[in-house]
């Protein structure tokens, strides 16, 4: 009887799971060379600004980063699709997105003696996905992958803010999410948070008061207070009230935090919302782009024992929601012209064909063009939510 065929993908996955956190790339290299006859294997991770792909290696890093724009690796990263580049010597390089539940980490590049067949390429795609999952787990125990993402040194405030995030993109059948903060290496007060369950998506968009480490500390306090209240299973208005008490208890009204807090019912698209400050929401529905306003309520921590009330609105399949901080819509050009509603609506329209994960960076790039200066007086946050809707109701047969 012939020996059973070896499932190469499972062999690589098992080796990655058993490996040391800092050694995942070397394990992948050994396995891919042995099982797929790979010549070279490299891992490229997206930097914090999402403009460069940085090669993972031991410190100090000596290799030049690869730009996202204008490179095959960047094309694979942006399109979230594998690409194969054939070379003159008959070898070929496969560029494979490294993505975990919609969160785009980077690209795995594998150079082979010849172009891979359909089945081999499908297996390599799975290897890249398995590597991404192991990187997310490994980051609890090693700094290697976080260091590899840095095209420059982070400020302490930025370090705190990036560690606070759930990710920069997320994908489920009901929605796609993407978000970005700028300036990526010196962010201080703006932030976002999300959490999903079987029935709901809770989304938080924050705009912290102040600058530098004080703004980062304020945002950390508020986000963790909101998480603590949310995980206790209490209603949305009470979550805001408890976070308000935490901020006021620490700062006695001297510092406060603007928040837009939303809870989406995945099955119906009903959204419960509390608007406690300056973050704003835009909606693109078909060809119509408009700002959606809610009842203004006090920012978190401004006064003692503030009570919050929620209101509701409805999202439909195909809706795109854009959330922005005042660092986007209130930024001024050198001539003193505010970015404003018309410019932001134009930016939203220009990005209408892009997936949600790419929209925030593109809008922020247009903001940079409006500013036309390297001096940044406020940080900026953009979050994009594409709503696909819950499953269609099952109609019982008669």
């Amino acid at each position: 009887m012939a020996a059973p065929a070896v499932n190469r993908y499972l062999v690589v996955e098992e080796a990655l799971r058993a490996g040391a956190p800092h050694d995942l790339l070397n394990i992948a290299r050994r396995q891919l060379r042995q099982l797929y006859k790979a010549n070279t294997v490299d891992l490229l991770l997206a930097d914090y600004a999402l403009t460069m792909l940085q090669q993972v290696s031991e410190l100090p890093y000596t290799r030049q980063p690869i730009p996202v724009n204008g490179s095959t690796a960047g094309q694979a990263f942006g399109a979230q699709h594998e690409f194969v580049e054939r070379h003159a010597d008959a070898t070929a390089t496969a560029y494979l997105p490294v993505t975990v539940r919609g969160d785009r980490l980077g690209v795995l590049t594998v150079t082979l003696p010849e172009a891979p067949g359909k089945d081999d390429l499908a297996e390599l795609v799975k290897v890249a996905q398995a590597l991404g999952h192991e990187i997310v787990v490994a980051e609890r125990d090693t700094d290697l992958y976080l260091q590899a993402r840095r095209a420059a040194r982070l400020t302490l405030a930025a370090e705190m803010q990036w560690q606070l995030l759930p990710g920069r993109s997320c994908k489920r059948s009901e929605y796609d999410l993407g978000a970005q903060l700028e300036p990526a290496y010196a962010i201080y007060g703006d932030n976002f948070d999300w959490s999903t369950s079987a029935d709901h998506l809770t989304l938080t968009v924050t705009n912290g008061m102040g600058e530098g480490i004080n703004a980062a500390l304020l945002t950390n306090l508020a986000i963790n207070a909101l998480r603590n209240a949310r995980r206790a299973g209490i209603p949305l208005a009470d979550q805001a009230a408890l976070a308000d008490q935490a901020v006021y208890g620490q700062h006695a009204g001297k510092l406060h935090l603007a928040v837009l807090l939303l809870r989406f019912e995945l099955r119906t698209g009903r959204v419960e919302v509390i608007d406690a400050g300056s973050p704003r929401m835009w909606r693109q529905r078909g060809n119509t782009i408009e700002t959606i306003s809610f009842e203004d309520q006090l920012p978190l921590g401004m006064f003692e024992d503030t009570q919050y009330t929620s209101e509701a609105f409805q999202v439909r399949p195909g809706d795109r929601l854009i959330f922005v901080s005042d660092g986007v819509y209130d930024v001024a050009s050198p001539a003193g012209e505010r970015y404003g509603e018309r410019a932001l609506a134009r930016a939203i329209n220009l990005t209408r064909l892009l997936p949600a994960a790419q929209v925030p960076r593109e809008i922020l790039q247009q903001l940079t063009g409006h500013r036309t200066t390297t001096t940044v007086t406020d940080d900026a946050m953009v979050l994009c939510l594409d709503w696909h809707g819950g499953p269609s109701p099952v109609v019982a047969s008669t």
Side-chain angles (χ1 to χ4, degrees):
M1 180 182 294
V6 176
N7 190 322
R8 295 179 296 177
Y9 154 67
L10 291 178
V11 172
V12 180
E13 183 181 42
E14 184 177 349
L16 289 170
R17 287 182 177 177
H22 66 277
D23 204 34
L24 297 178
L25 178 56
N26 289 330
I27 293 169
R29 280 175 173 154
R30 289 194 295 269
Q31 294 295 327
L32 290 173
R33 285 169 178 163
Q34 178 181 349
L35 298 173
Y36 294 87
K37 309 303 180 187
N39 297 332
T40 62
V41 177
D42 284 301
L43 175 61
L44 311 172
L45 294 180
D47 86 311
Y48 285 96
L50 294 176
T51 59
M52 294 290 177
L53 293 169
Q54 307 266 120
Q55 291 203 345
V56 175
S57 61
E58 296 296 334
L59 293 173
Y61 301 116
T62 58
R63 298 182 179 181
Q64 290 297 316
I66 297 172
V68 169
N69 293 332
S71 66
T72 307
Q75 188 178 6
F77 178 76
Q80 285 296 286
H81 195 278
E82 64 275 10
F83 286 91
V84 175
E85 186 176 52
R86 290 171 170 80
H87 307 302
D89 60 357
T91 63
T93 301
Y95 297 88
L96 313 160
V98 178
T99 304
V100 179
R101 293 189 174 90
D103 194 10
R104 306 177 304 160
L105 304 183
V107 176
L108 180 68
T109 70
V110 183
T111 301
L112 301 160
E114 59 184 9
K118 181 180 178 180
D119 292 342
D120 286 350
L121 186 59
E123 288 184 3
L124 291 171
V125 168
K126 290 183 178 180
V127 168
Q129 293 171 348
L131 179 59
H133 280 270
E134 292 307 314
I135 288 172
V136 170
V137 175
E139 284 182 342
R140 299 179 305 181
D141 303 309
T142 179
D143 289 334
L144 177 65
Y145 309 106
L146 294 173
Q147 289 171 317
R149 292 190 175 101
R150 300 172 188 218
R153 184 174 178 177
L154 291 175
T155 65
L156 177 55
E159 185 83 52
M160 295 171 63
Q161 294 293 63
W162 284 111
Q163 289 299 302
L164 191 62
L165 298 178
R168 281 188 287 189
S169 49
C170 179
K171 189 177 184 69
R172 274 188 57 165
S173 61
E174 297 90 352
Y175 60 82
D176 286 351
L177 268 172
Q180 178 63 6
L181 303 171
E182 290 290 347
Y185 291 86
I187 193 77
Y188 37 85
D190 291 357
N191 212 287
F192 54 85
D193 191 31
W194 60 66
S195 177
T196 188
S197 68
D199 301 315
H200 294 92
L201 165 68
T202 302
L203 183 63
T204 307
V205 182
T206 59
N207 184 9
M209 177 183 176
E211 298 181 0
I213 189 68
N214 289 330
L217 287 168
L218 175 64
T219 301
N220 268 259
L221 172 61
I223 290 291
N224 280 293
L226 286 166
R227 287 175 176 172
N228 179 258
R230 183 184 71 224
R231 292 164 184 169
I234 64 178
L236 199 69
D238 292 337
Q239 294 177 30
L242 287 175
D244 170 74
Q245 292 172 21
V247 175
Y248 186 86
Q250 184 68 26
H251 299 290
K254 296 178 182 178
L255 296 177
H256 49 80
L257 186 101
V259 172
L260 190 60
L261 184 60
L262 306 99
R263 189 169 188 256
F264 294 77
E265 191 173 73
L266 299 180
R267 184 178 60 84
T268 66
R270 183 183 182 275
V271 187
E272 186 182 4
V273 59
I274 294 173
D275 185 350
S278 58
R280 295 182 183 175
M281 187 186 87
W282 289 66
R283 181 179 67 199
Q284 183 172 16
R285 175 175 287 173
N287 295 323
T288 301
I289 300 173
E290 58 186 340
T291 180
I292 305 298
S293 299
F294 305 104
E295 178 187 351
D296 291 333
Q297 300 184 65
L298 293 173
L300 303 186
M302 181 172 282
F303 297 104
E304 189 174 10
D305 296 328
T306 302
Q307 298 300 309
Y308 294 89
T309 57
S310 63
E311 54 189 304
F313 73 101
Q314 190 75 28
V315 287
R316 302 176 186 170
D319 280 356
R320 167 167 284 183
L321 304 181
I322 303 289
F323 303 88
V324 297
S325 66
D326 62 3
V328 175
Y329 61 77
D330 206 30
V331 70
S333 71
E337 178 186 357
R338 298 292 171 183
Y339 194 60
E341 293 189 357
R342 287 202 304 174
L344 184 53
R346 184 169 59 250
I348 293 171
N349 186 56
L350 289 173
T351 58
R352 67 187 184 279
L353 298 179
L354 293 177
Q358 288 184 252
V359 169
R361 185 171 71 92
E362 293 300 324
I363 291 178
L364 287 167
Q365 282 185 329
Q366 294 185 45
L367 172 68
T368 301
H370 171 83
R371 188 167 48 227
T372 63
T373 176
T374 57
T375 301
V376 180
T377 58
D378 194 6
D379 47 356
M381 185 283 313
V382 177
L383 186 148
C384 177
L385 169 65
D386 283 349
W387 185 258
H388 309 308
S392 301
V394 177
V395 178
S397 58
T398 58

